[in-house]
Amino acid sequence: MTEYYLGVDLGGTNIKIGCFDSDINLVGKASVPTGAEMGPEVVVERILGGARTLLVESGVSLDDVAGVGIGTPGPANYAEGIVIKSTNMPKFKDTPLRDMIGRNGLGKPAILENDANTACWGEFAVGAGKGVSDMIFFTLGTGIGGGVVCNGDLVRGAGGNAAELGHVIVYPGGRRCNCGQRGCVEAYASANSTAARAVDAIKAGGESTLKNVLEKKGNLTSKDVYEHSDAGDPLAREITEGTAEALAILCVSMLHTTEPSTIVFSGGMIAAGDSLLERIRHHFREQIWTLKEEPVDICFATLGEDTGIIGAGALAKHAREQGKLV
Amino acid sequence: MTEYYLGVDLGGTNIKIGCFDSDINLVGKASVPTGAEMGPEVVVERILGGARTLLVESGVSLDDVAGVGIGTPGPANYAEGIVIKSTNMPKFKDTPLRDMIGRNGLGKPAILENDANTACWGEFAVGAGKGVSDMIFFTLGTGIGGGVVCNGDLVRGAGGNAAELGHVIVYPGGRRCNCGQRGCVEAYASANSTAARAVDAIKAGGESTLKNVLEKKGNLTSKDVYEHSDAGDPLAREITEGTAEALAILCVSMLHTTEPSTIVFSGGMIAAGDSLLERIRHHFREQIWTLKEEPVDICFATLGEDTGIIGAGALAKHAREQGKLV
């Protein structure tokens, strides 16, 4: 008998659900609007309804589902499966989401994990990190999130808040981060910060082909900056080099901390493509010690838009194998 | 029947051996000169002879010894128990030290681990980190070493080289480290670097009560710098503040990586005392984000000079409980 797993990716706008076989092959997927404004009971009903419909469409019996993984933004008490609060879902407050979906919803054991960790686990289990035992994972989006896998397991930390890798300090006393610290890698290398540094440089009098874009749109995106960098604009190039260098310094420090064999970058900004990856690798080689050749693989994530549901499904399987699915 | 463990701390000058009961209480200890210049066979004979004598003196039968832990500087293949080479013991080359002492020496299973990790494990098991599950450990000596414990286990990394925490970059493009990188925390905050920064500041024309010491001795130690700092010399104070700040930045970044509940400082430089610890805590509070109050305990190691043998003994016990003692 094949066992199946459900992976739920709960976002502020949409709920994505995937059904996976025991090798975490995608059997079927669905997406429904979250309806967060209607409160957690409605959201849970949508998840349960969506899951049941998906199982029928996928030809899988609920009896054959061995567990459910749920990825959600924090802050949450992941050990107890409780969402403490949520920026995108303001009516969620100390919501026991794991058991509402799992034991008391589908009648199945479940695990709740933060969305960066589920994405990390997806890449580790079946994506760019498949086959390794130690991996570091970064999401480059509006902010920078992370995941750390050591010896084949997620590092969760003393309070469930490990792998806040965007807030590793790379330039002490530097740019103010949204978190309140100065010099966080997120304050330099996230999509928002990459764009903000370009805006700052232009406002400080820098000459750039981005100037027209800024005047026309009133703002810049990281996409603008990468496009103009690739087209040869020196200021845009300097900004993207800064992004790559900050990320490379982070990679060096992570290598000396948990010694991953693979460092995976994911998230919207990897759309900047191979030029970004090549510049991160270049600065990594510049910064790393010369005494030994580190065989670390710096690469992009491979799972694409399904990473959230894949990671949640894979994590449910892993937790079950560890006897930690409750 | 009580089980006992032996802990061996193999240094370039002395071999220290401890005998521990199953709660890692010290039953007896011994120290013999390493005799490294005579090669690994002689060193191993001294360890075996020292261990047998210690057992007799401690009233413990070899039959009741459940395992042996061995701490040694790297580089080594710890998984296979082989010392690849050793700066302080140049005749060690691909030496299968674990089995020479363990299975083929005392006829007992053994584990080989690097000395920073054994010291870390000692503090974790029975010292400053007792009772926690996630800890970061620093040794502040000539250089800066480290250990990382996540979820109750040592983080060893993909190639056994994790926790080289002295080489986390805190000031990109800054002082050149012995490792070849720039801006490593070791290049600012080790005992040698603390002294070197003071020498540099005086040579650059800085006024200091350390100037006389430097002229008289031709050099400075970190002890000189801390003494003059505590006595109120502004230049010495600036240097020790720099040491504390670099260590605090490292603590912030480690907190966001593996989220320890305890950060332990050990090694010769903790002789600088509470003023150093207070300044690290001060700069940590200055650097950490303001959004949440991190309940992290930044403290000194408690095991003192026996930390190496205690850690080795405790690690042997842990490896046995995990079924990893071979």
Side-chain angles (χ1 to χ4, degrees), chain A residues 254-300:
Chain A
M254 293 299 101
L255 185 68
H256 294 318
T257 304
T258 66
E259 205 206 8
S261 51
T262 305
I263 297 176
V264 179
F265 287 95
S266 75
M269 216 164 70
I270 72 173
D274 286 347
S275 69
L276 172 61
L277 195 57
E278 265 318 307
R279 299 318 291 166
I280 296 172
R281 289 173 175 156
H282 166 80
H283 286 287
F284 181 83
R285 288 191 300 267
E286 293 283 304
Q287 296 279 344
I288 191 73
W289 58 23
T290 47
L291 292 181
K292 63 175 175 176
E293 193 68 34
E294 294 295 335
V296 65
D297 182 21
I298 299 176
C299 59
F300 279 157

Side-chain angles (χ1 to χ4, degrees), chain B residues 79-145:
Chain B
E80 301 294 329
I82 294 167
V83 175
I84 296 169
K85 60 182 178 179
S86 169
T87 313
N88 295 323
M89 302 183 289
K91 290 193 176 171
F92 279 61
K93 200 171 175 328
D94 298 327
T95 304
L97 192 66
R98 182 192 67 198
D99 291 347
M100 289 171 77
I101 296 171
R103 287 278 171 216
N104 304 329
L106 296 167
K108 296 290 174 181
I111 181 169
L112 184 77
E113 189 50 78
N114 82 59
D115 48 4
N117 272 353
T118 47
C120 172
W121 192 260
E123 291 294 336
F124 176 75
V126 297
K130 188 175 178 181
V132 310
S133 62
D134 299 85
M135 186 182 108
I136 293 273
F137 175 82
F138 299 110
T139 57
L140 303 178
T142 312
I144 294 182

